[in-house]
Structure formats: structure tokens, C-alpha cells
Amino acid sequence: MKILVTGGAGFIGGNFLQIMTEKYPEDFYVCLDKLTYAGNMETLEEVLKRKNFRFAKGDICDRSLVDDLFRKEKFDVVINFAAESHVDRSIENPSIFLETNVLGVQVLMDACRKYGVRRFHQVSTDEVYGDLPLERKDLLFHEDTPLKASSPYSASKAAADLLVMAYHRTFHLGVTISRCSNNYGPYQFPEKLIPLMIEKARKGEKLPVYGDGRNVRDWLHVYDHCEAIDEIVRRGKEGEIYNVGGHNERSNLEVVKTILKALGKEENQIEFVKDRPGHDRRYAICPDKIESEIGWKPKHSFETGIQETIRWNLENQQWLRHVESGEYRQWIQRYETLEKNS
């Protein structure tokens, strides 16, 4: 198969390409990425050496560029990771989230229709469901849970999901959607909770925790998420939504304390700060559907996964330093020079 992976220089997309280009050497992968601040070509350094991969720089909102790429490559499958995804940034500037996360999805699906792509997979989030009360541990998100987005980010993802299902019903486009819980693991941009706290703890800085720190998330290792997406694309039913969860509910405060303990640091580094607007209290995924219909189950417990993630961050300080300094942004310039001279 020839597979387009959009947003493949980001955290989850980059891990997906690292795993799948090696797992399926007979398939060919093309990565389309705009290389915004969260796109990091250093994440794809090893993937670029593989014969079944090539990179294309571009914006999924650029209809002409997307059309040209689809016409030339004749994709069988499109997997859309491309998205603006940081909630705090969506509160500061909602418009870019609507442009990329909704209009970009429309551009991709129009190209899928035009060029006969047999499967379009939308990578979504459990945040489209809103939140659950902390005291109701019996309540979980199911695929038919009503959408109740709380932030501009989650509203843009919910809108995209509705658009994907509308294209399936109206135009008979072959689609699937996955809605995952919070991801963590290697190559995560350090604005996110876990890598941010690891770095601040390592440096002896204060660890800012929103509100009372009791907000609960269901944590999913990025490797498990990537395997789930692969299984859905290859074995999932058209027109279906699959929740992907890790069975690992932890409060933000629990996560921070786990990181401090693993690094031998004191809890007095924790600093409670003003909560962000509309902060969801609890996310909890029920993954029964993907487990029963497809047979996928997460392999990582949070206890083992968080230790592996802390170790990776400690052992890959150069990658992190390049992100913090902005040096990673120069990688694409070096890559483009090599391409022109090859």
C-alpha cells in the first residue's frame, strides 16, 4: 500500500512512522507536514534513511498542493495526524485551530474522493466528549457518548469528526475515526505535561500544577496508540469510531509526584497555579469496542511506561535542547539543501 501520513513530524505521527516503516517494509509512506513549531524533523532522522519513505513539506489547508500530491502519489490510505493540539494555545488563538483541524480535514477528504483513496482515517481525541465528574468512577466515554467539547481545540476536533462522518454518509467515503486518551512517550514536545514536568524536576525548578491538581486523565503510551491506529486502518470497519484508552487513570498531581519520586526530588517543587479556563475534570475511555472487534489491547501499564519515558527524556537531552533552543527548526533547511544536491 501507499500511505499518506499527515502531521508525521509531530509527536504521535513521528512515532507512528518510526514503527510502521520498519514493520511494513513492503508499504510506502509519504509524510506531509507543515513543520509548525511542533513539527520536528529530528524525530524522523532514522526514518528518512529508509527506502519506503519520503517527506513532503506542506500545509493540509493548501488545496492546490494537496491535490498535486494526491495526483502524483495515488495513495491507498490517508492517516490524518495533522492538528493544532495544545489546549492553552487554542484559548489564546482559536482561529488557527479551526483552519487546520476542520478546513484542513475537508481539503484532505475532497482529495480522497477525487483520487479514489479507499480509507481516510481521522486521529481524534477523547476531549470531544467533554469531561466526567471526579466522583463518578463508574462513568466512561463510549463511542456513542454525546459530544460536549469544552475548549476551542476540542470543539475543532469534534467538528472535524462530524464532518468525517458526514462525508461517509453523503459521499460514501471510506472512513474510520479513533478517539484516544492522553498520550505520553518518546519525542513529545516539551510543552505537554509529562515532558515539561520531567525537565523542570530535573533542573530543580518549580513544577506548575493547574488548580488543585485533581484533574484526571487516562494515560496511553504512544506506542500502544500507534499500534491501535494501524489495526483500525487495516481491520476496522468503514464508518466506525473506535475509542482507544490505556486503562491508566491518574490525576495530574499523581503524575507529577510519580515523576518527582523517580528523579529523587522533593514534592516541595510543586507549585499550584491558577486553573485554566474551562479545564476538564476527568477523562476516562471505555475501549471495549476496539478490544472486542479488532483484538487490540494496550501493552504498557502506566507504571512501566512512565519510567521508560522518564529514562528516554534523560537519555535524549540533545533532542530536548534542540527543541528548547529552536535549533531543531534548522534541520529542515539542512534537509532541503541535501535534497537539492542529491
Side-chain angles (χ1 to χ4, degrees):
M1 293 193 298
K2 181 171 279 191
I3 301 169
L4 173 65
V5 176
T6 63
F11 164 48
I12 304 174
N15 276 284
F16 183 84
L17 285 167
Q18 288 186 32
I19 296 167
M20 300 307 159
T21 52
E22 184 174 19
K23 184 177 181 179
Y24 301 108
E26 69 280 6
D27 291 338
F28 193 88
Y29 293 83
V30 176
C31 170
L32 174 65
D33 199 296
K34 184 180 179 181
L35 294 178
T36 62
Y37 78 95
N40 190 345
M41 290 296 289
E42 290 188 357
T43 302
L44 298 177
E45 196 159 6
E46 290 302 313
V47 181
L48 284 162
K49 300 174 184 177
R50 295 172 185 164
K51 295 181 179 179
N52 63 335
F53 175 81
R54 91 170 181 88
F55 177 81
K57 184 180 178 182
D59 186 347
I60 62 170
C61 295
D62 187 335
R63 191 172 291 273
S64 176
L65 181 146
V66 168
D67 188 88
D68 188 55
L69 183 65
F70 274 67
R71 178 177 53 80
K72 290 178 179 176
E73 297 290 352
K74 298 179 174 58
F75 297 112
D76 299 294
V77 173
V78 174
I79 304 174
N80 181 38
F81 291 95
E84 297 286 343
S85 64
H86 193 48
V87 174
D88 287 357
R89 289 177 183 265
S90 80
I91 295 171
E92 294 173 5
N93 182 16
S95 61
I96 185 63
F97 284 74
L98 298 175
E99 291 167 10
T100 300
N101 298 357
V102 183
L103 298 180
V105 171
Q106 181 199 10
V107 170
L108 289 173
M109 290 195 296
D110 285 344
C112 287
R113 291 180 58 214
K114 183 175 180 179
Y115 293 102
V117 174
R118 63 179 180 81
R119 174 65 61 87
F120 175 82
H121 181 77
Q122 171 71 358
V123 181
S124 188
T125 171
D126 60 355
E127 294 186 47
V128 300
Y129 298 121
D131 62 358
L132 297 167
L134 291 176
E135 64 276 9
R136 290 292 306 275
K137 298 298 184 183
D138 58 311
L139 295 180
L140 302 171
F141 294 140
H142 297 263
E143 285 81 1
D144 58 358
T145 298
L147 304 186
K148 194 179 179 182
S150 304
S151 69
Y153 160 63
S154 56
S156 69
K157 295 296 286 187
D161 287 2
L162 293 172
L163 188 63
V164 170
M165 297 308 291
Y167 266 58
H168 173 67
R169 178 166 179 170
T170 303
F171 304 118
H172 307 292
L173 181 64
V175 305
T176 42
I177 296 174
S178 56
R179 292 174 178 158
C180 71
S181 53
N182 281 44
N183 278 214
Y184 69 101
Y187 300 102
Q188 189 168 28
F189 201 78
E191 69 181 0
K192 299 293 187 176
L193 177 69
I194 286 178
L196 177 66
M197 296 303 170
I198 293 172
E199 274 302 284
K200 286 188 173 295
R202 183 186 69 81
K203 295 175 181 177
E205 299 175 358
K206 289 292 186 180
L207 279 62
V209 176
Y210 279 134
D212 57 13
R214 294 177 61 218
N215 304 71
V216 171
R217 301 294 181 259
D218 178 8
W219 292 96
L220 176 69
H221 196 283
V222 66
Y223 291 173
D224 288 325
H225 186 197
C226 291
E227 292 290 349
I229 291 170
D230 179 51
E231 290 293 320
I232 293 169
V233 167
R234 294 173 187 273
R235 301 174 56 197
K237 297 177 183 176
E238 287 188 7
E240 293 293 324
I241 298 167
Y242 296 91
N243 281 349
V244 185
H247 297 294
N248 289 306
E249 286 188 56
R250 298 289 188 283
S251 72
N252 289 346
L253 190 57
E254 286 179 280
V255 172
V256 171
K257 288 182 177 180
T258 298
I259 292 169
L260 287 169
K261 183 178 180 180
L263 294 175
K265 301 289 186 175
E266 298 297 326
E267 291 185 7
N268 61 12
Q269 283 185 242
I270 296 172
E271 180 180 50
F272 293 98
V273 298
K274 182 180 179 181
D275 210 351
R276 73 182 179 209
H279 198 180
D280 289 334
R281 293 300 277 170
R282 173 175 170 255
Y283 301 148
I285 281 277
C286 177
D288 288 353
K289 182 176 177 178
I290 188 173
E291 291 181 0
S292 61
E293 290 189 8
I294 298 179
W296 172 91
K297 287 187 177 181
K299 297 176 182 177
H300 292 77
S301 68
F302 186 76
E303 289 76 15
T304 59
I306 190 64
Q307 297 300 327
E308 290 176 9
T309 301
I310 292 170
R311 187 161 53 250
W312 186 91
N313 278 265
L314 295 178
E315 293 174 353
N316 289 271
Q317 285 297 302
Q318 180 174 305
W319 185 90
L320 290 163
R321 283 196 301 272
H322 286 179
V323 172
E324 290 177 347
S325 68
E327 187 175 340
Y328 75 106
R329 304 288 297 152
Q330 299 171 18
W331 207 105
I332 184 60
Q333 297 172 2
R334 297 197 298 272
Y335 173 71
E336 287 174 340
T337 301
L338 289 172
E339 283 286 283
K340 290 176 183 177
N341 296 333
S342 64

